[in-house]
């Protein structure tokens, strides 16, 4: 969609997260969109009627950016369909928590079920979309998001492998690079895999990138204001193809 | 707004293709989606594989579908019962394939399909003629056989209550095969006795969450037999 | 328990099924206990608290012979626990049927569940006892009760294999011989097996026989009035051991 | 009369042997049988294998059981979380075995144990280091691994309502692992917030039928956190 010479512009959609110059957050913004901006960008692509599981971190924020009139049914692997937002202060219900163990609410039409049924939904391909964070995504769709090294002998996998292997679509939302500037979109994952060949799309602070079988990373959109394809490529660990 | 409720049986069955594998709920007449089966007669799909506990009775419903030559194969646990003459005649005449599956294995194969389990080991049927051609393996000193998931293209099921998200309840022993069939099919169509507002089914009391249901159609009958 | 020389007596416990001489049923009774008598004898051995699945035919009658004060929880494979007796005339509920598709009732404390859960109870060994009819039982515990010949190409297996393979205990209740006098307790089943090595005990119109691993048939009790062990052995297709 | 309700936590845990595999319900604090875990501390069984989603937090409950050296092995999906310092120290010191299982595989392995399925194939974990040493096989063009049933000697679970037959309901997201653990154990002990009369739980609304529950004990607390 975006060629090398296409004028590039920021596509962050949520003006309330734009901050005044001088704000320390602005440095972050200059390097692309904010965490809320990334969540908003993901939310834009989720159509009504999808059953969606949102991982911990930025993925959880996606829910807040789906317009209320667009019905998207949120799944939580601890046995909930139809999750609503966090409760108002003082109105929390200790019996109703999401996979991150934060208190949530339930929309009318929601339901509860046990863990085996919940992961049956996941593994059985009934979840239209799972959005996860990641340490790395490879150009063949491999995702690494659970263990920080091969030597991490007590890593916490939780439901990540089930979600990555089971959901109909897996989108990753993460920073384009590590804090020290190393690319997180790579030719091959260095960290232990969560699932091979599972990712379809990546939303970063800089870009939206599809993973296309047989081609690798295909750039869909540059999100960082004023960034060229060449500049983006420089921060990416594998070839960024374009459809242009 | 999500609204899985369609206005007619015909609409609920739109697009059922020839050659489809159809899962039909119910245990005998209880929990059996009679109107949807009648609708399938009208709809015209043929060359069907039908998965159900029984192989039809009398000359209506599944039996009629078989009489009309629309069924290629039956997968069931109990083909012969009172009134299963249509099945028996067609089967003897070589016009119908049959796969006999123990009732619990039938349910578990569909549950497996719905839960993303392609195959599982079970003691049921090990050492019997139904184990012929199946891989076997000893666990805990006992022979087990490997059974494959049984997915459907379409499930036709009967519910007691449904809402526009497709959440369902079943009534008493009308639950039977319906929930596992709902899980196992790509297109699950539920006929329901009652359509209720979203939220009217308490979240702790939903039997089949809407994620397993694609279309809902209301029928008028209030009991499995009239 | 019963040796060769032990005086033999009828042990039928349900006097309401005893009929006057001259009654045509008496001929049957002379050859052992009635169907109701067999059911009553089985019922005597079921302790309080067991979860019990009763097959079609004589097994179904067992429920009527469990005293109401002795709580036994009946399971039906179509998704019922806590089944009660048949409804009174005119009070039937079409939604509530047993595995034989007869209308039943539900006791307080009963519950409904789906087929996969129901057979999970069976296969998982949670059913304390299953009582089935049979064509044949072999001295190694093999049971044949579903197909009347190897050439029966459309046999109806229903839940028989699941129950035979899965229940904690399998008891068979059946006539001691076929109508034309051939033994149904045999050295090896001639009919296609339902499950190998599954039967623990057999109740017939003539006797109660245990199947003991490594020994074979062990006579527990002769039910037929005036019948000797030799007479019983003559109607049995394999050696009847005794504990005497 | 069947009466599974016992009068004290101590009575509910009688006979739990050394070396037992204990399934502990809950997801974090929700649906976690805190009083039963405290009771197990008192009861004294050691050399335990504990199956739970998490590996304890703070210095109470499971964490305390580990501190006291009573736990030989933990089987869980998410050992490290806020406050899991006891686990981390013991694990680093080589005083605790750990088996990491993906959360859905953990649930399914217990469900399999409860349903008499000794092993099943799953795509979860295939192609990762958790597949090491496991049999793998391709179904529908995709790699799957064989996972084994995970039975327990004892399940400690938390219910919302219970009756004397052991029928249970759970509250909201407190259901989580509890029903599959109830299925998977030889001795299932449920702590419950409410004891109700037989029949008070509608037969269509029972979450765990009493067949999966051996003992019930009432506790006073009304919410997962005080």
């Amino acid at each position: 969609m975006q060629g090398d010479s296409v004028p590039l512009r920021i596509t962050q959609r949520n003006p309330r997260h734009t901050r005044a110059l001088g704000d320390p957050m602005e440095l972050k913004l200059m390097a692309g969109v904010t965490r809320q901006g990334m969540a908003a960008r993901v939310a834009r692509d989720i159509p009504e009627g999808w059953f969606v599981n949102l991982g911990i971190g930025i993925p959880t924020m996606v829910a807040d950016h789906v317009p209320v009139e667009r019905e998207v049914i949120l799944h939580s692997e601890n046995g909930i369909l139809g999750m609503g937002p966090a409760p108002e202060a003082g109105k929390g219900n200790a019996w109703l928590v999401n996979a991150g163990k934060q208190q949530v609410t339930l929309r009318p039409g929601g339901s509860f079920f046990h863990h085996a049924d919940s992961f049956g939904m996941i593994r059985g391909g009934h979840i239209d979309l799972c959005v996860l964070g990641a340490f790395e995504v490879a150009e063949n769709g491999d995702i690494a998001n659970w263990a920080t090294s091969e030597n991490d002998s007590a890593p916490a996998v939780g439901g990540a492998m089930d979600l990555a292997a089971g959901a109909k679509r897996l989108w990753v939302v993460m920073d384009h690079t590590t804090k020290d500037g190393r690319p997180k979109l790579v030719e091959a994952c260095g960290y232990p895999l969560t699932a091979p060949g599972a990712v379809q799309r990546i939303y970063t602070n800089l870009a939206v990138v599809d993973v296309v079988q047989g081609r690798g990373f295909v750039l869909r959109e540059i999100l960082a204001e004023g960034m060229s394809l060449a500049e983006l490529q420089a921060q990416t660990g594998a070839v960024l193809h374009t459809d242009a | 707004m999500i609204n899985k409720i369609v206005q007619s049986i015909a609409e609920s069955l739109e697009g059922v293709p020839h050659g489809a594998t159809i899962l039909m709920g119910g245990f005998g007449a209880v929990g059996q989606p009679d109107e949807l089966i009648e609708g399938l007669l009208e709809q015209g799909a043929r060359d069907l594989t039908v998965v159900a506990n029984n192989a039809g009775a009398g000359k209506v419903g599944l039996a009629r579908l078989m009489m009309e030559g629309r069924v290629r194969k039956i997968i069931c646990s109990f083909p012969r019962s009172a009134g299963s003459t249509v099945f028996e005649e067609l089967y003897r005449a070589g016009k119908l394939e049959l796969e006999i599956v123990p009732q619990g294995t039938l349910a578990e194969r569909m549950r497996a399909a719905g839960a993303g389990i392609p195959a599982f080991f079970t003691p049921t049927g090990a050492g019997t003629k139904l184990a012929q051609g199946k891989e076997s393996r000893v666990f805990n000193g006992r022979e087990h056989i490997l059974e494959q998931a049984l997915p459907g293209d379409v499930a036709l099921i009967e519910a007691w209550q449904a809402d526009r998200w497709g959440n369902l309840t079943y009534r008493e022993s009308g639950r039977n095969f319906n929930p596992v069939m709902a899980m196992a099919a790509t297109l699950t169509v539920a006929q329901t006795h009652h359509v209720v507002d979203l939220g009217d089914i308490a979240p702790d009391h939903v039997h089949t969450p809407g994620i397993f249901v694609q279309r809902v159609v209301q029928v008028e009958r209030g009991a499995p037999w009239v």
Side-chain angles (χ1 to χ4, degrees), chain A residues 14-205:
Chain A
N14 209 321
R16 66 190 156 109
H17 299 292
T18 305
R19 288 162 192 277
L21 277 170
D23 185 321
M25 287 301 287
E26 189 62 12
L27 289 171
K28 175 98 177 143
L29 189 61
M30 290 294 285
V33 297
T34 59
R35 288 158 59 88
Q36 289 290 355
M38 291 158 74
R41 182 61 192 77
V42 173
R44 216 179 81 188
D45 290 347
I46 302 176
E48 180 158 270
W50 275 16
F51 291 87
V52 178
N53 184 297
L54 300 173
I56 293 169
I58 305 178
T60 298
M61 301 176 188
V62 171
D64 298 332
H65 295 276
V66 176
V68 284
E69 69 276 12
R70 193 199 306 160
E71 284 191 336
V72 168
I73 299 179
L74 297 181
H75 174 266
S76 185
E77 56 264 40
N78 56 321
I80 311 174
L81 270 176
M83 244 189 334
E88 291 172 49
K91 294 199 174 168
N93 170 0
W95 291 92
L96 184 40
V97 302
N98 65 13
K101 290 155 191 170
Q102 301 162 308
Q103 289 187 20
V104 292
T105 54
L106 193 76
R107 294 187 189 280
S111 55
F112 300 108
F113 33 85
H114 63 58
H115 252 82
D117 280 350
S118 182
F119 280 88
M121 294 175 190
I122 293 168
R123 201 189 305 103
H126 305 280
I127 303 291
D128 293 294
L129 171 65
C130 176
V131 185
L132 292 177
F135 301 140
E136 289 174 327
V137 176
E139 60 185 344
N140 65 354
D142 288 0
I143 173 174
N145 83 339
W146 73 294
T148 47
S149 86
E150 282 293 349
N151 301 323
D152 182 356
S153 53
V157 69
M161 285 190 184
D162 309 275
L163 285 160
K168 243 181 250 178
R169 297 171 190 81
L170 177 62
W171 294 351
V172 165
V173 53
M174 64 180 186
D175 283 332
H176 205 86
T177 62
T178 62
K179 277 174 189 150
D180 52 358
R182 282 177 298 120
K184 298 179 70 168
L185 286 80
V186 294
E187 287 183 350
C189 290
Y191 291 125
L193 291 194
T194 307
V199 178
Q200 278 86 47
R201 182 172 283 189
I202 308 155
Y203 295 81
T204 76
N205 55 321

Side-chain angles (χ1 to χ4, degrees), chain A residues 205-224:
Chain A
N205 55 321
L206 304 181
V208 180
V209 176
D210 277 353
V211 179
V212 178
Q213 199 156 16
R215 284 189 77 193
F217 292 132
V218 177
L219 179 66
R220 291 298 170 210
E221 187 176 344
I222 293 180
L223 302 180

Side-chain angles (χ1 to χ4, degrees), chain B residues 23-93:
Chain B
L23 316 179
M24 286 185 186
F27 185 78
V30 185
Q32 182 174 272
D34 292 329
E35 282 78 355
L36 290 175
I37 300 171
E38 292 296 320
L40 191 62
L41 276 160
E42 296 295 312
Q43 191 264 353
R46 53 183 156 67
D47 197 27
L48 302 173
T49 295
V50 172
V51 183
N53 191 57
N54 304 96
K59 297 192 169 182
V60 296
L62 175 53
R64 177 151 205 98
L65 205 62
M66 291 188 285
M67 277 168 73
E68 292 188 2
R70 309 262 295 279
V71 180
R72 187 178 65 75
K73 182 175 179 180
I74 293 272
I75 301 176
C76 72
S77 86
F78 210 82
R80 279 196 199 145
S81 45
S84 64
T85 50
V86 169
F87 161 78
E88 286 170 55
E89 281 169 26
L90 288 167
Y91 182 69
R92 266 199 302 268

